Structures are given as C-alpha cells and as structure tokens.
Amino acid sequence: MPADSFVRSFRESSPYIHRFRGQTFVINFGGDALADGSIRSLAHDIALLNSLGINVVLVHGAGPQIDAALLAHQLRTERVNGKRITDLAAMQVLREAVGGARLVVEAALSEGQMGSPMAHAGLQVVSGNFIIAQPLGVLEGVDYQYTGQVRRVATEAIQRHLAADEIVLLSPIGVSPTGTLFNIRAEEVAVAAALALHAAKLVFFMDEDGVTDAQGQLIRQITLSELPQLLAREDIQGGLREHLHSAAIACTGNVDRVHLISRHVDGALLRELFTRDGLGTLISRDPFEHLRTATVADIPGILDLIRPLEERGVLVRRSRERLEIEADHFVVMERDGKIIGCAAMYPFPDQGMAEVACLAVDSRYRRQGRGERLLDYCQERAREQALERIFVLSTQTTHWFLERNFRPGALEDLPVPRQHLYNFQRRSQVFFRNL
C-alpha cells in the first residue's frame, strides 16, 4: 500500500477507534471458520479490537463438527423448523464436538509467535456457564428433548471479565439450574448476549456478501422498518433469513447496529467496522444516513466539504464567521458521524421566494441522488413557509439545475436585497423553480 493511502486510511479510521473504545461487540461465527482454518485470521482481527479497548464477546458455532461427530457415531438427528431434535445419545456426542470446537477457538486466540499479528497480544480468553438454559419443550407436538433456549445470560459475570480486559467466549450449549446441558443455536446465544449486555454491535459472519436487492446489488444499509419488506422476498432463505430475523429482534431491543459480513473475505471485520462504507450490510434502528438542520458544531465539517469547491470557483467563498452566523440556514447530510453533503436555504418571505445556495456533496458520494435529496429538503422547508418559488445562482452547474425543472431568469427577477448582493465578477446565472 502506498504511504499516502495508508495514512489516509488510518486517519479515516481514527474516529471509529475513539468511538468504539469501551463499547461491547458480540461477534458470531460458525463452525465453518474452524473447519477451513479462517479462524486464525479472524483471531488476529479480534486481538486488534481487544487492543483498542473494545469489549469482545465471541459466540462460536459448531455445526460441521457436530455433524461429523454424529456421523462417526452412526447417529442421525432430525430437524424441525430449523431446530435439531437432540436426544440423550446425540447430546453426549454434541457435548464433545462443541467442547472440541471451543478449544480450537481458544487455541487460535492464544497464538503469540514472534512475527505473527498476535505477537505479545497476551489475550486472556474465558468461557464458562454464562448461558443459563431451559428446555425448548414440546412445540406443536414435537418434543425437542435436549434442545433448549436461553433463559438468562449471566450478565454481571461477563461484565466482570470484560472489565478485566478478557475476551468472553460463548458456546452453543447452555446449562439449566438443575445442571442439565441443552443444545442451543449459536445465533440465538449471540442475540441473547447482545441484548443482555446492551451491546453496541452484533456481528454475524455468513457465506453471502450481505443482503442484495432484486438486481443482485449489495444493499449497504437497512433500517429496522425496512426489514419486513425484505423478509417478504421469496429469494431470501436459509441462513440469511435467520440473520435478518435475528437483526429484527436485536434492533427492536437495545442493540443499535447489526452487521452481516462475508466470512470469505480476509479482514472483513476490520473493513466493516473501521471504514465509512463498510463491506457488508448494516442494519440499524435509526437511519444510517440522514438530513438535519446544521448547528455551529457542524461548521468544521461543512468547511471541509465546501473548501475544494470554493477553490475551483464552483461555490462562492464563505468565511467561518459567516457560516457560524448562518448555521441555522444550513441543512447537512450526515453519514455515520461525518458531514457528506450540505445546502443552505435563505427565505425572502416578502417576495414569496427563497434562495438555495451552497449545495455540495462529498465527491465520493455523488451521482447517487444525494444532491436531489438536499434540494428536495430545502424545497420542503420553503413550502412550509408558504413560499412560491426557489431560485439558485450558478456558474458551473447550470445544466444540473436545468435538468431538475429550473428555468433561466434575470437579475431583475431576484428579490431586491439579493440583487444588491449580486457579484458581477462571478456573473452567476439565475434559475427559478416554482413550488
């Protein structure tokens, strides 16, 4: 990687590093990561999260290991509604398979050879009876026997270990108050742990890259209100459907964000967490990217956005002092804590019109409809004030406005106060649009 790319990437990750310190992340991965050896690279990334002061709770699966052990013992189990019916013989085999899988994870997290990414990491991993279980019982006439569900999470015990800078490792087995072991789906354990710990993030590793739309394009962000529409699609089945159901449960509770990322991409966890656009699909309770009225605290972000356009002459130069005075006229588009778009609306109520100015979108997020959203937002604000027209002055983006139903006007058509401020050196063209 070129030095400048490294520096830029590292700087862009710094806000996330500060924000995540002290937060709790619950990360779920399946037994496939153990079977194909990818647990080792994942362990390196988990060690990095721990070194950055993030509280990490891992929930491992053991599906392939359980299936192999049952086959070796010539045992078969039936699945009903996606849940394995676990009899006593299967439970004895399953217990050994899950225990072996847990040891593989602990070994990967304990690696510390010189020259490896985990050298001197000194990770402390703790596992135990953190999941209190109860039997699933008889559902619709089916006795699930030793298949159970989470009754309670030993939150205080887990928090003590996290406070001691230890990684907590949870297995897909819970123990009841009577000392009976129950088989529980790892995904259910992960959701229960995230809810009980008020986790900031719940991460699922999966075979797919994320959620895709009808055209096969990756959907980067989904809000909780959009999940029912996605779950209605017949093409979303299997593990992906289960993850979306889990995301709905988590976000309806107290988990802010759920991440669905591919287990096949090395470094996927870091790319998802420490880059603005991530790698997979983010599901959140609140809109990931939203419009709002600007405050004085947004001025540095607005300046960073508009300075390159001012230097190219696209926008008229504005001082920090002017922006601070006019902050309440601005609307900003915020994406994960960063200002990526802005626009200003100056009303002239006596003339029944308003000026839309300083419309800018970060170069990395253009041609995706964000400029239109900013313009529409300003237009709605003008309508709320019972104004009849909006106008813009432009030197280099005239066709963009013409394509959006603006019509050329004359300087004399502007409100008189705005005519007095007209810059004859810039020779901006005037465009109007009726509301």
Side-chain angles (χ1 to χ4, degrees):
M1 175 187 293
D4 58 342
S5 297
F6 168 77
V7 171
R8 183 171 61 253
S9 298
F10 197 72
R11 285 173 175 167
E12 288 182 354
S13 69
S14 60
Y16 302 99
I17 294 173
H18 293 299
R19 187 188 311 165
F20 295 161
R21 185 175 293 114
Q23 292 187 347
T24 297
F25 294 177
V26 176
I27 302 172
N28 172 229
F29 54 90
D32 291 331
L34 282 60
D36 64 15
S38 58
I39 181 61
R40 294 188 64 191
S41 59
L42 177 58
H44 298 161
D45 296 342
I46 291 168
L48 180 56
L49 298 188
N50 176 260
S51 71
L52 294 175
I54 297 170
N55 300 322
V56 180
V57 176
L58 301 179
V59 184
H60 74 88
Q65 291 77 16
I66 293 172
D67 290 338
L70 290 172
L71 181 62
H73 286 80
Q74 298 181 342
L75 293 175
R76 291 187 177 183
T77 57
E78 184 181 359
R79 290 181 182 271
V80 179
N81 295 325
K83 296 181 182 294
R84 189 192 302 267
I85 298 175
T86 312
D87 60 20
L88 181 58
M91 188 64 209
Q92 292 174 340
V93 173
L94 184 145
R95 180 178 59 190
E96 296 176 1
V98 171
R102 176 177 57 80
L103 291 174
V104 171
V105 178
E106 290 182 355
L109 291 168
S110 301
E111 179 187 341
Q113 295 180 357
M114 295 299 295
S116 80
M118 292 180 62
H120 308 298
L123 293 182
Q124 296 297 313
V125 185
V126 61
S127 56
N129 57 339
F130 299 119
I131 302 299
I132 293 83
Q134 64 185 28
L136 197 58
V138 179
L139 299 177
E140 299 179 352
V142 177
D143 185 357
Y144 286 86
Q145 302 183 55
Y146 289 91
T147 296
Q149 58 188 346
V150 178
R151 177 179 179 180
R152 182 170 59 86
V153 178
T155 308
E156 292 183 2
I158 292 176
Q159 295 285 20
R160 285 198 299 270
H161 290 289
L162 294 177
D165 200 28
E166 297 173 337
I167 291 176
V168 174
L169 177 62
L170 305 179
S171 297
I173 285 183
V175 60
S176 73
T178 62
T180 305
L181 296 177
F182 288 95
N183 172 29
I184 307 176
R185 290 179 60 247
E187 185 158 337
E188 294 180 19
V189 173
V191 172
L195 290 170
L197 296 167
H198 301 277
K201 293 182 181 294
L202 172 59
V203 181
F204 290 115
F205 279 89
M206 59 183 194
D207 287 324
E208 299 86 354
D209 292 333
V211 183
T212 57
D213 59 21
Q215 288 72 44
Q217 297 298 311
L218 182 65
I219 302 175
R220 294 290 187 182
Q221 300 97 32
I222 300 170
T223 57
L224 180 59
S225 61
E226 295 172 316
L227 282 179
Q229 182 179 0
L230 280 172
L231 289 168
R233 283 172 41 186
E234 295 183 357
D235 60 319
I236 294 183
Q237 297 294 331
L240 179 56
R241 174 171 286 272
E242 293 176 0
H243 292 327
L244 291 177
H245 275 299
S246 296
I249 295 170
C251 289
T252 301
N254 50 34
V255 178
D256 290 332
R257 295 182 177 183
V258 178
H259 299 259
L260 309 182
I261 57 178
S262 172
R263 71 178 190 87
H264 300 292
V265 178
D266 185 27
L269 182 63
L270 301 182
R271 290 175 59 183
E272 177 68 12
L273 296 178
F274 295 101
T275 62
R276 188 163 298 113
D277 294 317
L279 180 77
T281 297
L282 167 66
I283 303 165
S284 61
R285 287 188 295 176
D286 301 316
F288 180 62
E289 181 177 300
H290 62 283
L291 293 170
R292 59 174 175 80
T293 302
T295 67
V296 173
D298 296 315
I299 299 305
I302 294 174
L303 283 169
D304 288 343
L305 184 67
I306 66 176
R307 279 293 181 253
L309 297 173
E310 291 176 349
E311 291 169 359
R312 288 164 45 198
V314 177
L315 295 177
V316 64
R317 186 172 291 276
R318 290 170 170 80
S319 67
R320 176 185 288 268
E321 292 75 17
R322 179 182 172 186
L323 287 172
E324 290 177 352
I325 294 172
E326 299 178 349
D328 58 345
H329 288 288
F330 275 77
V331 56
V332 294
M333 179 176 287
E334 184 181 21
R335 181 183 177 88
D336 203 23
K338 178 180 173 61
I339 304 301
I340 65 166
C342 70
M345 198 273 285
Y346 301 95
F348 295 88
D350 292 341
Q351 290 78 26
M353 62 182 76
E355 179 182 9
V356 176
C358 201
L359 197 158
V361 176
D362 188 304
S363 60
R364 290 166 292 186
Y365 299 97
R366 293 174 189 161
R367 299 181 180 86
Q368 299 175 37
R370 292 181 173 87
E372 286 87 345
R373 287 181 58 198
L374 287 161
L375 182 62
D376 290 345
Y377 191 92
C378 292
Q379 179 175 280
E380 288 305 313
R381 291 178 64 175
R383 280 201 181 101
E384 290 171 0
Q385 299 180 38
L387 303 180
E388 299 175 355
R389 290 199 296 174
I390 56 175
F391 65 89
V392 298
L393 280 73
S394 175
T395 59
Q396 300 183 34
T397 57
T398 57
H399 281 272
W400 191 88
F401 290 107
L402 288 171
E403 292 166 3
R404 285 151 184 83
N405 297 321
F406 280 80
R407 295 293 177 262
L411 176 61
E412 295 75 17
D413 298 325
L414 295 176
V416 173
R418 187 65 183 87
Q419 293 182 35
H420 293 161
L421 296 174
Y422 183 81
N423 187 332
F424 286 92
Q425 290 183 330
R426 283 180 59 83
R427 299 178 60 186
S428 300
Q429 298 183 53
V430 181
F431 298 90
F432 288 88
R433 187 164 89 176
N434 294 327
L435 299 180

